[in-house]
Amino acid sequence: MAGALVRALTDRFPELAATLWTDEDTVELQIDGSRNVELLRRLRDDPELHFWYLADAAAVDYGTTEHFEVVYHLYSDLHPAWLRVRARVDRAEPHLPSITGLWEGAMFHEREMYDMMGIVFDGNRDLRRIYMSPDYRSFPQRRDFLLPDDAADSSAAGVNPLERPETWDLSRFRDAVTESDEAAAKGKP
Amino acid sequence: MAVTTPEGKDKTEGSLVPAVTAEGAPIIIPDQAAGDDLLREFGMEEHPKGGFHGLLEVIPTRADWLLDLIRANSLWPLLSGLSCCAIEMMSTATSVNDIDRFGMFPFRASPRQADVLIVAGTLTTKMAGPLVRLWEQMPEPKWCVAMGTCTTSGGRFKRSYSVVQGVDRVMPVDVYVPGCPPRPEGLIYGMMKLHELVKQRRGQWTTYVDRGPQRVAWEGDVR
Amino acid sequence: MTAVDPETRIPDPIELDRAEEARLHAALGIEPPRPAEPEYAGFETVGIPDRPPVTEREAEVYTLEEGEMLVNMGPQHPSTHGVMRLVVKVRSEVVVDLDPVLGYLHRGIEKLCENATYTTVLTYVDPMDYMSAMHNEHAPAIAFEKLYGIRAPKRAEYIRALVVELNRVFSHGLMMGFLALDMGGLTPILYGFINRDETVELLAAISGQRMLFNFFRVGGVNWDVSDEFISRLSTWRANVGRSVSDNEALITENEIFTARTKGMGVLSGDRAIALGVSGPNLRASGVPFDVRKAHPYSIYDELEFEVITHSSGDVYARYLQRVAEIKQSLHLIDQIVDQMPHGPVQAQVPGIIRPKPGRAYGAVESPRGLYSVYAISDGGPNPYRFRMRDPSFITLQVMPVLMPGHLIADTMAIMASLDPIMGGVDK
């Protein structure tokens, strides 16, 4: 089903043929991050490829010892398959050229990838946090950012104060407080 | 700042403006003291069990009862729909389930004109600041209804890094309406409960003279 | 950052209150009842930032010329789209520039889904784009079925298409009401909600829930559709055309509505493609891109329909596009009910599926545009990475492009015509 597309891609980008992967409705290319702008420009402007719509730009974290990956999904009306471009990004220095010059609509995608994963896009005119507060310091989507529940899986005490009776303030419930509640609030068994 | 009446006396008792005399001796902020006296005189100070007591209060009691009835039947909600529960709140407000028959037709946009803050939708840590500011801008008497499980306890986002685990961490709540989202009939039932609270003065709203902290202590991380 | 002189700046009323209170307390020698520091953690996100702008675009928006003013259309505003904040730079009622501030509803769903089984993920995605919850579940179901290597049975695919088109009907019907509501017309929203309530009672009869239906499963749907439901559906079908046309009669030829929407917020096809717009907004600008035709999923290649487009690209065209799509969806529902086969509604799938390591991409046409899910599996019970691409999020980039030059009152009309849902925008 994606045969014509695979042939066209291997003709134009023979160096990517080794890592090209295809499924019945997706063709996948893997590149190094610094080449993303030129590759996407050629994919968009080539009249036989004609990938004019950027459907998605996602960031993936493969673990604390591995790399990041920025994944672009492209649509073309000449080919019946989605094209997925996986761009490898170094984890220690996560910089990547911005594709806002090709598609203006990638701005919010890149802002979100910066906010959630910490990948910096060079050339993006508005790279600031979009979901979290501007003074937020972590990158939530990384694999080393643990939810409090993950911390509670450990043998340490629950981080949620509502799970610890000694932090409850029962003075609001003047009438309903019983001795056992007060004892629990004081931390006695 | 001394306030003088036309009689020429310093009118500092019973006024809400604290006066500092020329010698710099401070006078206690009078609203708390005066208010207690007034309420005690009319027998209307807060009873720990709610309700009224005392002999001298029949007429103010009836007036109060009427005022509470009026308040209950004309609670004006603030448009504070945050998320999915907002659509169900709008569905409650429109044709098929109609809370206009309970007097809640005008969803005011400005908090200065609203009585009830129906927190409909997930409260996130970024939105908590604006929502608390809205709550504090609402004039008393005011009530808060936590609609949906996200506002009751964090709901399905219990383990999230950016969701406030229940809106009662940042403001006092009178009625909790569980559901995800609650059916409009459920929200109407919650409103009927709120009517009961209003009529019996059992809500978290305390009178002007006994205004404690308007929210539980919040140091910024409310997860 | 701004050209405002700190000496003559008009201070925020909250600052004045605090300063007055502090002065009184100091004069009376009273300790302030609450600690002076730290301030509310979220309030620097409410006001206009007091720090110099860090990016070029921020400098563009937050630098004021003579006669310009920053107006904060804050996270709580009477428009019904949820919590979005627009910092609008105006020059006496005309919008000069715009900065949308998002994130007031960010719930971290992608992160939560990494610790949930594949079936649980389908419940977590519901409250994203809460007006089209069925589409929210459809895309991950497609992606997970690709990962696991199964297909849903035919009857399940037909039921999926049925509920998805029902969802589209009431979502578009409600957009009509919201568009009129944001411009001040209070009646069409009532008709829209009558339509929505009737449709949603049908969906509740199938899935048990009015809004955040937990209906899709990996490999099919949860419940089957009975004959009694089909008869209820046909009763509904007889009535819905009339309720939609009642609503239309109020709005479409209305003088005030056409005067306020024709020629407003014109978005050209090329600009829309560059900005990543999809769905009815893109088709109203003349680009015939519909995911149901471009990459047919489910049983859309067996149904007969065309891609509707309008050429003017203004608010009125986007409105007409959605009305036409309601009628198209009703036509699709008729075909689905005629052609529905018998059979099982769920493939034989274990409760906790462990697909082989791989990657999958599933895209559907939601009422707001192209909604897609990119899922990576590592062989375990939870997805390794679950990424949702929401159409409203990308469509919001259109606003700083469309709104400058219009009055503030038109910003609401333009935003309502784009039909964003903040649950999807903020995930």
Side-chain angles (χ1 to χ4, degrees), chain C residues 248-264:
Chain C
E248 253 194 287
L250 278 176
I251 321 175
T252 312
E253 298 296 325
N254 190 321
E255 276 185 60
I256 302 177
F257 185 80
T258 49
R260 280 193 72 170
T261 56
K262 278 192 177 160
M264 184 73 59

Side-chain angles (χ1 to χ4, degrees), chain A residues 93-114:
Chain A
E93 286 264 345
H95 283 259
L96 202 65
S98 164
I99 62 166
T100 47
L102 300 175
W103 286 281
E104 273 180 82
M107 169 72 74
F108 271 21
H109 279 132
E110 294 185 347
R111 279 181 70 178
E112 188 203 346
M113 286 195 268
Y114 167 66

Side-chain angles (χ1 to χ4, degrees), chain A residues 29-34 36 57-72 85-97 110 112-121 129 137-145, chain C residues 111 114 359 374 376 384-385:
Chain A
L29 298 173
Q30 294 188 35
I31 57 167
D32 185 64
S34 50
N36 64 342
V60 185
D61 182 358
Y62 279 107
T64 42
T65 53
E66 304 275 336
H67 51 274
F68 287 144
E69 213 174 59
V70 173
V71 183
Y72 302 100
V85 176
R86 296 168 58 184
R88 202 166 37 250
V89 182
D90 180 38
R91 199 192 168 89
E93 286 264 345
H95 283 259
L96 202 65
E110 294 185 347
E112 188 203 346
M113 286 195 268
Y114 167 66
D115 188 10
M116 292 283 116
M117 204 69 93
I119 300 176
V120 176
F121 289 90
R129 286 196 178 263
R137 287 188 301 255
S138 323
F139 298 112
Q141 204 67 42
R142 290 191 175 184
R143 294 303 282 194
D144 49 357
F145 178 89
Chain C
K111 188 76 182 178
E114 286 176 10
R359 299 159 298 279
Y374 176 53
I376 302 182
Y384 182 80
R385 172 80 169 105

Side-chain angles (χ1 to χ4, degrees), chain B residues 19-183:
Chain B
V20 178
T21 62
E23 296 80 34
I27 298 181
I28 301 172
I29 294 180
D31 54 355
Q32 295 202 2
D36 273 342
D37 283 340
L38 277 173
L39 279 196
R40 216 173 290 124
E41 194 178 317
F42 285 104
M44 272 165 51
E45 64 201 3
E46 273 215 347
H47 191 272
K49 293 270 184 209
F52 304 104
H53 65 106
L55 285 178
L56 268 179
E57 57 166 26
V58 176
I59 293 176
T61 305
R62 290 295 103 196
D64 259 343
W65 170 82
L66 190 62
L67 275 176
D68 285 335
L69 191 66
I70 292 172
R71 283 186 188 123
N73 287 313
S74 138
L75 286 168
W76 283 4
L78 174 68
L79 260 186
S80 67
L82 304 173
S83 173
C84 352
C85 282
I87 306 290
E88 286 291 357
M89 181 170 73
M90 283 186 252
S91 179
T92 314
T94 54
S95 310
V96 180
N97 328 97
D98 185 17
I99 49 175
D100 188 7
R101 39 195 174 131
F102 300 105
M104 295 184 173
F105 146 70
F107 274 75
R108 308 309 297 174
S110 162
R112 302 284 186 196
Q113 300 163 0
D115 294 320
V116 188
L117 180 69
I118 308 181
V119 191
T122 319
L123 182 67
T124 57
T125 49
K126 195 167 178 182
M127 186 62 194
L131 193 76
V132 170
R133 188 182 273 207
L134 281 175
W135 173 250
E136 295 183 342
Q137 282 177 343
M138 284 169 68
E140 289 172 349
K142 58 186 174 184
W143 294 270
C144 176
V145 173
M147 177 182 176
T149 50
C150 291
T151 47
T152 305
S153 71
R156 56 169 81 203
F157 304 107
K158 192 72 185 162
R159 301 157 51 241
S160 165
Y161 51 85
S162 67
V163 171
V164 175
Q165 303 292 308
V167 82
D168 50 2
R169 290 202 181 196
V170 297
M171 65 172 67
V173 175
D174 297 303
V175 176
Y176 297 88
V177 184
C180 191
R183 280 189 69 100

Side-chain angles (χ1 to χ4, degrees), chain A:
Chain A
M1 208 168 129
L5 176 59
V6 172
R7 276 194 297 280
L9 287 172
T10 46
D11 285 341
R12 282 162 183 74
F13 311 107
E15 70 277 9
L16 302 179
T19 51
L20 191 147
W21 176 85
T22 177
D23 195 2
E24 59 175 28
D25 60 352
T26 317
V27 175
E28 193 179 279
L29 298 173
Q30 294 188 35
I31 57 167
D32 185 64
S34 50
R35 289 196 52 200
N36 64 342
V37 173
E38 52 166 290
L39 177 72
L40 292 175
R41 187 190 306 276
R42 286 176 67 185
L43 287 170
R44 183 186 68 161
D45 294 336
D46 192 310
E48 281 188 25
L49 295 176
H50 202 225
F51 282 97
W52 51 271
Y53 192 75
L54 175 74
D56 188 13
V60 185
D61 182 358
Y62 279 107
T64 42
T65 53
E66 304 275 336
H67 51 274
F68 287 144
E69 213 174 59
V70 173
V71 183
Y72 302 100
H73 285 90
L74 299 166
Y75 165 75
S76 161
D77 44 355
L78 299 178
H79 302 282
W82 294 101
L83 182 66
R84 184 184 301 149
V85 176
R86 296 168 58 184
R88 202 166 37 250
V89 182
D90 180 38
R91 199 192 168 89
E93 286 264 345
H95 283 259
L96 202 65
S98 164
I99 62 166
T100 47
L102 300 175
W103 286 281
E104 273 180 82
M107 169 72 74
F108 271 21
H109 279 132
E110 294 185 347
R111 279 181 70 178
E112 188 203 346
M113 286 195 268
Y114 167 66
D115 188 10
M116 292 283 116
M117 204 69 93
I119 300 176
V120 176
F121 289 90
D122 307 317
N124 188 323
R125 296 184 61 235
D126 195 18
L127 195 68
R128 52 193 163 118
R129 286 196 178 263
I130 190 168
Y131 284 150
M132 309 307 295
S133 301
D135 57 339
Y136 196 75
R137 287 188 301 255
S138 323
F139 298 112
Q141 204 67 42
R142 290 191 175 184
R143 294 303 282 194
D144 49 357
F145 178 89
L146 297 177
L147 293 175
D149 213 35
D150 303 331
D153 281 341
S154 70
S155 53
V159 294
N160 188 343
L162 284 180
E163 290 162 14
R164 290 186 293 151
E166 60 266 18
T167 62
W168 295 349
D169 171 35
L170 298 174
S171 60
R172 284 169 36 194
F173 307 104
R174 290 178 290 226
D175 306 322
V177 176
T178 62
E179 288 169 3
S180 55
D181 290 330
E182 283 177 352
K186 288 196 184 64
K188 295 198 279 277

Side-chain angles (χ1 to χ4, degrees), chain B residues 114-115 137-142 205-209 211 214:
Chain B
D115 294 320
Q137 282 177 343
M138 284 169 68
E140 289 172 349
K142 58 186 174 184
W205 163 55
T206 51
T207 57
Y208 178 72
V209 296
R211 183 167 51 177
Q214 287 202 31

